[in-house]
Structure formats: structure tokens, C-alpha cells
Amino acid sequence: MAKAVKLADIAERVGVSTVTVSKALSGQKGVSEEVREKIRSIAEELGYQQPSAARKSQNQKSYNIGILISERFLDKYESFYWQMYQAVATRATAKECFTMLEVIGMSEEENGRMPKLVQERKVDGIIVIGKMMDTYLQHLNTEAGIPVIYLDYYNGREASDSVISNSYYGTYELTYYLYRMGHHKIAYVGTLLATESITDRYFGYQKALLELGLEQKKEWVVDDRHIETGKIDTVNMLQLPKDMPTAFVCNCDLTASFLIKKLRENGYRVPEDISVVGFDNYLYPGLSDIHITTYEVDMGEMARRAIHNMIKKITSDNYKSGVTVVEGRLVLKDSVSHV
């Protein structure tokens, strides 16, 4: 029996990535017509079958998986979710599945407009990356008629099917690390309730303070973004406390980079005067000239779990819904000094 042709086989022949092959064969943008035609030609030559045809002729089933991301997460500096999407797409192609990305605008969220991928029945399941409005997600779960999984988001108020990083333990570990470096006055930066992950990270920070017997001050919880839009606001927020701590735990590396800039504008040196830690281990190039100590999110493992769970959910193959928590790791860099 002939060996099944994989996307990786086509990618190797053409000299492109498997993600590019997936985009070309599924009609997505981002691939030139010249490259698209070459990929199609090689695919035909090798006898590659599209997922819809493969389902009928192979025991190994393939699926079209839609990826939804809110437009507010795709600003110039909000590239974390672009990287997460690429990790999901790469993992999907490894499982012989196609991914199709749709960016959801604010008006679509507010009006509960169903994604085109769902309306046109182009996908077998949906992975939502990042938080969207509760009403929109409820509408999606009720009306889509296909499996939905959240990635880097969960809704504790209802039975959500999610894959998330360990936000709670991550900031717990970061706070303990600052304590071991001699810091006893530690602040948290992140607007509570803006996202579940920001709030979970705050509780990890708070648990560490309680266990260590450290002082908790209200002014040491600093907002960084608008709760309604999720947009970071460095002008009206990120206000430095009057009683300055010696260290800040930030909910993400992007916020940490903005905080470092504000600290310097106010005459503080990082890390000589103030230490700063972040979360994610991802930062848009050029935003910070100091490498930020952080808790790394394991994107590859999160993507693997999301695709694995989605395939099982589509096939109902002994699938149990729930929240999958993926561990990360502490990454020590240059933004913390010993007191």
C-alpha cells in the first residue's frame, strides 16, 4: 500500500514551511500565486488528497479547524497571539489538519455576528485564541453547531473547554523569586478582571505574599489597561505608587516593558533601583533594551493540547471536556537585582 502523502512532503519539495502549504491548499491569503500554483502542482504530482477527500478514503481523518482571534489582540505590539496562532497552525499540519484564521472585529463581537467560517460551513471545529465578550462566546457555543475550544482563556462561570497556561503558579513562583532576591515590598501590575489570566496571576502573587507574611497595599496593585477594551494605556494608567515598592510583578512582558520605560522617565534605574518581572517570555523586538525576567508560556505544548483536544472533541473519541493547564518555566534574565 502506498504511503500517504503528507503536507511536510510537499513542503520539502517546494522549499517552504508546512504552514505555507496548508494556506495554499486551503485557499487562504498570505501566499503568492506563483508559490500557490507550484504547491498545487507538487501536491497533484505526489497524489496528495485534500482533507475532504481523505476522510472518505483513509482511516486517518483530517479536519478543517477555524482559528478566531479578536482584532484588539493584533495591534503592532500585541504579537503574542500571532505567535500562538503559528504554533497551533504548525501543530495542526503535523496532524494532517488545515487551519483557517478569521479575525473578529469589535462590531462583530458586540452584535454577536457568527464567523464566516461557521456561516459558510468551512470548518469542523473552532479554536478561540484569547478572550472575547462573554455574550459573543455564549452565542458561538449555542449557535455554531460545531466543537469550540478556548486557548489561553477560560470562563469559570460556565463549563468552558479550554487550554491555558499556569498563570496562578507562574506569578506565585515569580513573587517567591523576588523574595529570595531580598525584596519585601512587591507590587502587582495588571487591571483585575480585564482578563481571567490577569486575575489568576494576581491571585498567585497574592498567595505568595500571604505565605511570606509580606505587606499588601492597595496602591501596590496598579492598573495597566482599560477593562472594557483590554487596551494597555501608558498615559492614564501605569501610575507609580507614592510609596514605591522595590519590585513589580507584571501580568505580561509587554506591560513590563512599558513600566520600565515609565520608571526610567521618573528617574529610577532597572534593576539597580527597582526590579521588574513579566510573564509570557515574549516581547515585540525593540521594545526593551533590558532582558526581562519572566515566566515562559509553553506555546508548543498549549498548541499540541488544543489540537489534540479538538480532534478528540470532533470525533467524540472518549473526550472529556474541561480546563487543561499547561506548565511553564521561570526564565531568569537581567531585570532583577538583589536587595
Side-chain angles (χ1 to χ4, degrees):
M1 184 175 178
K3 182 181 177 182
V5 178
K6 298 182 178 181
L7 294 178
D9 300 327
I10 303 170
E12 184 178 356
R13 281 284 299 273
V14 180
V16 297
S17 68
T18 53
V19 173
T20 300
V21 173
S22 176
K23 286 183 176 181
L25 295 180
S26 60
Q28 295 186 66
K29 296 179 181 179
V31 183
S32 69
E33 283 306 312
E34 181 182 355
V35 173
R36 191 185 303 276
E37 284 305 314
K38 187 174 182 181
I39 289 172
R40 286 173 175 168
S41 176
I42 295 297
E44 185 177 350
E45 177 188 329
L46 296 176
Y48 179 77
Q49 289 181 296
Q50 292 275 24
S52 56
R55 287 179 201 154
K56 299 176 182 178
S57 59
Q58 299 177 5
N59 291 328
Q60 172 87 32
K61 291 188 176 182
S62 298
Y63 300 98
N64 293 328
I65 300 173
I67 310 296
L68 305 184
I69 306 178
S70 170
E71 66 175 358
R72 65 178 174 272
F73 294 129
L74 300 179
D75 285 345
K76 179 179 179 182
Y77 299 130
E78 293 280 7
S79 298
F80 178 77
Y81 282 147
W82 275 121
Q83 189 176 21
M84 185 165 282
Y85 163 68
Q86 290 170 348
V88 172
T90 300
R91 184 59 194 174
T93 55
K95 300 298 289 185
E96 294 297 305
C97 292
F98 287 89
T99 55
M100 305 177 76
L101 173 66
E102 183 169 345
V103 178
I104 304 300
M106 287 302 297
S107 62
E108 294 171 291
E109 274 195 68
E110 292 168 356
N111 297 321
R113 196 172 302 131
M114 198 61 59
K116 290 181 181 178
L117 292 177
V118 175
Q119 293 181 37
E120 298 172 8
R121 299 181 180 274
K122 288 186 175 181
V123 293
D124 302 295
I126 290 288
I127 294 177
V128 181
I129 299 181
K131 180 179 181 178
M132 292 188 186
M133 295 175 63
D134 288 345
T135 52
Y136 182 81
L137 293 175
Q138 288 167 4
H139 182 60
L140 182 67
N141 275 287
T142 303
E143 303 297 331
I146 55 176
V148 177
I149 289 178
Y150 305 147
L151 182 56
D152 201 43
Y153 165 77
Y154 75 98
N155 187 338
R157 296 176 297 281
E158 58 184 61
S160 62
D161 215 0
S162 312
V163 177
I164 61 173
S165 62
N166 199 336
S167 292
Y168 180 82
Y169 178 73
T171 46
Y172 174 86
E173 189 172 359
L174 284 164
T175 307
Y176 249 97
Y177 168 69
L178 289 171
Y179 177 79
R180 291 197 301 272
M181 293 295 285
H183 295 276
H184 291 181
K185 298 172 67 176
I186 305 171
Y188 179 78
V189 185
T191 302
L192 304 186
L193 302 180
T195 69
E196 275 68 15
S197 61
I198 289 176
T199 308
D200 285 351
R201 289 167 193 177
Y202 165 74
F203 283 124
Y205 150 85
Q206 190 179 56
K207 180 176 188 288
L209 294 189
L210 286 170
E211 288 186 356
L212 295 167
L214 299 182
E215 185 178 13
Q216 300 180 61
K217 288 190 174 185
K218 187 176 181 180
E219 67 168 332
W220 286 355
V221 179
V222 180
D223 289 343
D224 70 331
R225 68 192 67 204
H226 294 281
I227 196 168
E228 301 84 4
T229 64
K231 294 281 187 181
I232 295 176
D233 185 343
T234 60
V235 176
N236 299 304
M237 297 186 181
L238 280 179
Q239 300 300 314
L240 300 182
K242 291 181 180 179
D243 180 10
M244 284 290 286
T246 63
F248 289 87
V249 176
C250 297
N251 74 87
C252 66
D253 291 346
L254 180 59
T255 289
S257 72
F258 292 145
L259 176 65
I260 289 171
K261 182 179 179 182
K262 178 155 284 192
L263 286 168
R264 287 173 170 172
E265 289 171 351
N266 284 269
Y268 295 100
R269 298 170 300 163
V270 177
E272 293 85 354
D273 302 322
I274 304 287
S275 292
V276 176
V277 298
F279 203 105
D280 292 335
N281 198 26
Y282 179 82
L283 189 61
Y284 190 88
L287 276 182
S288 178
D289 59 1
I290 184 170
H291 297 111
I292 300 169
T293 291
T294 187
Y295 186 83
E296 182 177 75
V297 170
D298 190 343
M299 284 194 195
E301 181 61 14
M302 289 177 70
R304 188 191 73 79
R305 297 282 189 94
I307 293 297
H308 174 79
N309 290 359
M310 176 56 73
I311 292 173
K312 294 197 75 164
K313 192 169 185 177
I314 291 171
T315 60
S316 299
D317 182 17
N318 298 320
Y319 182 75
K320 294 182 180 180
S321 62
V323 178
T324 301
V325 181
V326 176
E327 299 297 333
R329 67 187 183 96
L330 190 65
V331 179
L332 305 181
K333 298 184 184 179
D334 306 324
S335 61
V336 175
S337 65
H338 198 283
V339 176

